Amino acid sequence: MIANRSVPAATVVPVLAYRDVTEAADWLCAAFGFEVRLRIANHRVQVVFGDGAVIATDGGGAGAAAGHSVLVRVEDADRHRDQAAAA
C-alpha cells in the first residue's frame, strides 16, 4: 500500500465540510477534546482523538452536507468494490 504521511493513519476518516474550517476545528477541539494534527491554509484541518481522526474541509460556502465524504483504508480496493457490488 502506498503511504501518504499527511493523511491520518485511522482506518476510517470522516471528511466533513464546513463553511468556516478554522471555526469548526476550534469547536471540535473545545467540545470533544480533539487536537489539531495538521492545518492546510484555511481550507483543511485534520483533528485527532486517540487513534481516530476527522478532516474538516471547506464547504465552499454552500450547504455543508454537499461536501461530506468518508475515507476508508482497505488493503485491496478492487476486492472491496467487488464485495460492495455483490451485496
Side-chain angles (χ1 to χ4, degrees):
M1 183 182 322
I2 298 173
N4 179 343
R5 292 178 296 169
S6 69
V7 177
T11 303
V12 177
V13 181
V15 180
L16 306 176
Y18 291 94
R19 288 190 176 107
D20 185 320
V21 172
T22 301
E23 182 179 293
D26 290 346
W27 178 76
L28 288 166
C29 291
F32 300 107
F34 283 92
E35 295 180 7
V36 173
R37 178 181 178 272
L38 175 68
R39 286 186 191 268
I40 302 173
N42 64 349
H43 63 86
R44 185 172 288 254
V45 178
Q46 296 175 12
V47 294
V48 294
F49 186 88
D51 60 357
V54 172
I55 298 174
T57 188
D58 181 11
H68 296 328
S69 62
V70 178
L71 179 151
V72 180
R73 293 179 183 272
V74 297
E75 288 294 322
D76 183 336
D78 291 332
R79 184 179 66 208
H80 191 75
R81 181 205 57 228
D82 293 346
Q83 178 181 336

